[in-house]
Amino acid sequence: MLATLRCMVMRDLTLAMRHRSDVLTTVFFFIIVVSLFPLGVGPEAALLKEMAAGVVWVAALLASMLSLTRLFADDYNDGTLEQLLLVPQSLSLIVLGKVLAHWIISGLPLVVMSPLLGLQFGLEGDELMMLMVTLLLGTPVLSLLGAIGAALTLGLRGGGVLVSLLVLPLYIPVLIFGAGAVTASAAGMGADGHLSLMGAILLLALVLAPWASAAALRISVE
Amino acid sequence: MFNLFKYSSPATFYPLAGRLAVGFGIASAILLVIGLYMSFFVAPTDYKQGEGYRIMFIHVPAAWMSMLIYVVMACWAAAGMIWHTRLSSMMASSLAPTGAMFTFIALWTGALWGKPMWGAWWVWDARLTSELILLFLYVGFMALESAIDDPRRAARASGLLALVGVINVPIIYYSVQWWNTLHQGSSIKVVDGGVETSMSEIMVWTLLVMTFACWFYTIAVALCRVRSIILERESGASWVKALLQERK
Amino acid sequence: MMSEWLAMGGHGLYIWGSYAVAALFMIVEVILVVRRRRSLMQRLGRMIRMKDSEVSG
């Protein structure tokens, strides 16, 4: 079972590395969106520190949304998706592999960049740590749920906008717990409640989302 | 034994839906008149809020209906996917607009009720916020369905979305509840609780009558809309031709 | 008496505002559904007449 997973992930990563610019666009989009907020809201440190977690999290949501449409679109256009549907291995495993690759390309860079951007907002050591941990737990869920939206809107005109309309409401719990964890730990209330809930959502998504995206793929590709 | 699947074919369901729609329509009209009369003339003035609380008689039923319709929509969608009956997914897509309308009414009346009571049009209260998110789910459902041209794929894709959505509704509700209690800055507690506990007998009856009125209204409108959807999707079928010949 | 009843203890604007919008939306929805049905029947009727004339023509 792991072989199929590994093979799918490696395949998608090599494909992504061929046109490396896509990886960078997601990260630069994330950086630009986060840096826009101080320009809009004003430079005073107290305010920025207050809203840092929320801004970084919303930017992470939008950044992972950006690259969702491409998750299945390239394979759909050149026909490999139909082949993947006929493969004996379970389709949800293949989808999990693709989502893992998508997370490595678009989720992990956000996690790595987030401390840098946290500094921009004046966050200190342990808050940056908490921001990274919450993003580490949260971004996979964004890719998993996003895969369902991407599979549903495969090959539709205006698919990009539609995916965000379908999937953003489902991201809200992750956003609430993610940003809430950072503010709670900053306020000294401890964030283990938030983190355990995010872990629960991650496990739930890991089990259910691939199956739902597989069903959605079967509907879209028929 | 009543053959469940006898009415699952559009041809036999179509006339039945017509009769039911008329029946439920009349019932809802009557109940609505009674309900409105009760909520304005029979229900006493609330000791705390005076007359303002009367908005409750449209706000609470609309909020209940918005959630109930979403769950019913998800059940029809699930039935459509399990038994591959086209009619069930048609029922799901006929319910969505009415559900979205009730969600908007719930938000609108909630805001108008909040203004005199809390002094603000919009309060990030847990229930109002989850109602807003529910509206996004409805809009997503309808947007997806209209974006796909092939009706079969549209029905199944939006059905799956409704199922994914209905699993998320409780998660969203509790995360918003958690978020609301965490940021106790907005410490405005919904007085609903207060009103409900001290609700006199007559208020509860008025609320029930209005809820049933909205319920029958939804059934009537949904059945009428599903008849149009059936005609649109089955326009090629012979029974549609026969039906139209006979009407001419 | 009427105007005092309409004032609803000062909350008249909010009460009538919410009931009016609710009523408006419900009535508009019914009108839309009925109009959709009527135009559909006409369109299907025309399509069938067109097919008949082709067959017989």
Side-chain angles (χ1 to χ4, degrees):
Chain A
M1 206 175 80
L2 278 184
T4 23
L5 206 63
R6 206 170 49 76
C7 142
M8 273 314 290
V9 172
M10 293 319 291
R11 168 190 176 270
D12 268 34
L13 283 184
T14 38
L15 272 178
M17 281 311 139
R18 291 218 182 98
H19 26 81
R20 207 179 307 280
S21 66
D22 291 356
V23 179
L24 297 181
T25 41
T26 314
V27 177
F28 278 118
F29 175 82
F30 178 61
I31 295 169
I32 292 169
V33 166
V34 171
S35 324
L36 285 180
F37 275 85
L39 301 174
V41 168
E44 61 268 29
L47 182 63
L48 288 185
K49 195 163 151 50
E50 176 76 29
M51 54 180 233
V55 162
V56 170
W57 257 97
V58 168
L61 238 65
L62 299 179
S64 80
M65 184 75 55
L66 202 65
S67 51
L68 269 183
T69 43
R70 253 192 9 289
L71 185 57
F72 295 115
D74 308 339
D75 292 346
Y76 178 70
N77 296 337
D78 59 23
T80 39
L81 202 57
E82 272 113 29
Q83 309 306 329
L84 283 177
L85 256 67
L86 305 174
V87 150
Q89 282 78 3
S90 93
L91 183 56
S92 27
L93 198 65
I94 290 171
V95 166
L96 187 61
K98 288 185 79 65
V99 165
L100 202 58
H102 172 264
W103 178 65
I104 291 169
I105 298 164
S106 74
L108 217 49
L110 305 190
V111 175
V112 168
M113 289 305 292
S114 61
L116 208 64
L117 297 172
L119 286 177
Q120 214 186 8
F121 279 71
L123 291 182
E124 263 69 40
D126 56 349
E127 280 152 8
L128 287 182
M129 218 22 192
M130 182 55 77
L131 187 64
M132 260 185 87
V133 166
T134 50
L135 277 171
L136 198 60
L137 273 174
T139 38
V141 178
L142 302 184
S143 300
L144 282 161
L145 289 178
I148 303 177
L152 280 172
T153 59
L154 209 50
L156 296 183
R157 59 199 183 293
V161 177
L162 196 56
V163 173
S164 41
L165 186 63
L166 302 189
V167 166
L168 276 177
L170 308 181
Y171 280 174
I172 284 172
V174 177
L175 171 66
I176 287 176
F177 292 128
V182 180
T183 35
S185 78
M189 283 193 287
D192 27 22
H194 296 265
L195 291 179
S196 45
L197 279 168
M198 284 187 82
I201 292 179
L202 174 58
L203 291 178
L204 199 68
L206 264 176
V207 170
L208 292 178
W211 175 81
S213 335
L217 276 182
R218 285 214 180 78
I219 293 172
S220 307
V221 170
E222 236 144 41
Chain B
M1 199 276 287
F2 175 74
N3 172 357
L4 177 70
F5 289 99
K6 171 168 181 293
Y7 285 110
S8 76
S9 90
T12 46
F13 180 71
Y14 184 84
L16 170 72
R19 286 195 298 277
L20 281 178
V22 170
F24 277 110
I26 295 166
S28 84
I30 296 167
L31 277 179
L32 212 57
V33 167
I34 300 170
L36 285 176
Y37 175 76
M38 282 170 78
S39 42
F40 282 107
F41 299 107
V42 174
T45 316
D46 183 57
Y47 65 94
K48 222 171 10 182
Q49 290 183 34
E51 304 297 338
Y53 87 103
R54 292 184 195 283
I55 298 178
M56 168 181 86
F57 295 126
I58 186 70
H59 173 69
V60 173
W64 284 343
M65 284 313 295
S66 63
M67 278 172 248
L68 175 70
I69 290 177
Y70 196 84
V71 173
V72 169
M73 226 169 69
C75 297
W76 277 119
M81 293 183 77
I82 296 167
W83 289 297
H84 294 295
T85 47
R86 295 189 312 280
L87 197 56
S88 329
S89 26
M90 287 185 203
M91 271 308 288
S93 50
S94 76
L95 277 165
T98 313
M101 184 202 75
F102 272 125
T103 320
F104 179 77
I105 290 179
L107 284 171
W108 176 268
T109 50
L112 258 70
W113 192 10
K115 180 67 181 152
M117 228 171 34
W118 307 324
W121 290 110
W122 177 257
V123 167
W124 286 98
D125 158 69
R127 275 185 276 203
L128 284 180
T129 317
S130 353
E131 195 74 36
L132 183 65
I133 299 167
L134 188 62
L135 183 64
F136 296 152
L137 290 176
Y138 274 114
V139 168
F141 178 91
M142 290 190 283
L144 177 65
E145 216 210 335
S146 59
I148 304 174
D149 304 327
D150 154 32
R152 228 179 65 76
R153 176 183 166 185
R156 302 187 63 195
S158 45
L160 183 70
L161 183 68
L163 282 179
V164 168
V166 88
I167 295 172
N168 276 282
V169 161
I171 300 175
I172 290 174
Y173 179 71
Y174 284 112
S175 54
V176 169
Q177 197 88 20
W178 178 294
W179 165 80
N180 186 272
T181 41
L182 173 75
H183 293 271
Q184 214 32 43
S186 65
S187 63
I188 297 156
K189 208 61 210 84
V190 174
V191 178
D192 239 5
V195 166
E196 241 134 39
T197 41
S198 71
M199 266 214 309
S200 67
E201 188 64 30
I202 191 65
M203 289 183 193
V204 175
W205 274 108
T206 321
L207 208 54
L208 275 180
V209 168
M210 287 297 277
T211 307
F212 271 100
C214 293
W215 204 20
F216 290 165
Y217 165 84
T218 311
I219 296 172
V221 168
L223 285 176
C224 198
R225 186 178 291 125
V226 85
R227 276 160 59 99
S228 308
I229 295 176
I230 291 174
L231 285 184
E232 273 159 15
R233 300 225 181 127
E234 308 278 323
S235 52
S238 56
W239 67 273
V240 173
K241 270 199 209 37
L243 184 96
L244 284 163
Q245 236 90 24
E246 172 201 301
R247 273 178 64 82
K248 213 174 27 225
Chain C
M1 209 291 282
M2 188 58 188
S3 67
E4 175 234 306
W5 176 72
L6 268 184
M8 277 286 168
H11 294 153
L13 171 69
Y14 307 116
I15 295 173
W16 300 120
S18 33
Y19 276 90
V21 164
L24 176 76
F25 268 70
M26 286 167 114
I27 292 163
V28 162
E29 187 180 27
V30 169
I31 292 171
L32 285 180
V33 166
V34 169
R35 195 187 302 152
R36 170 177 176 177
R37 186 178 149 65
R38 195 169 298 136
S39 71
L40 183 64
M41 296 302 255
Q42 276 156 10
R43 194 154 45 86
L44 288 179
R46 239 180 286 115
M47 247 165 54
I48 286 171
R49 267 197 302 281
M50 210 167 55
K51 277 212 188 63
D52 289 356
S53 63
E54 265 156 29
V55 165
S56 58

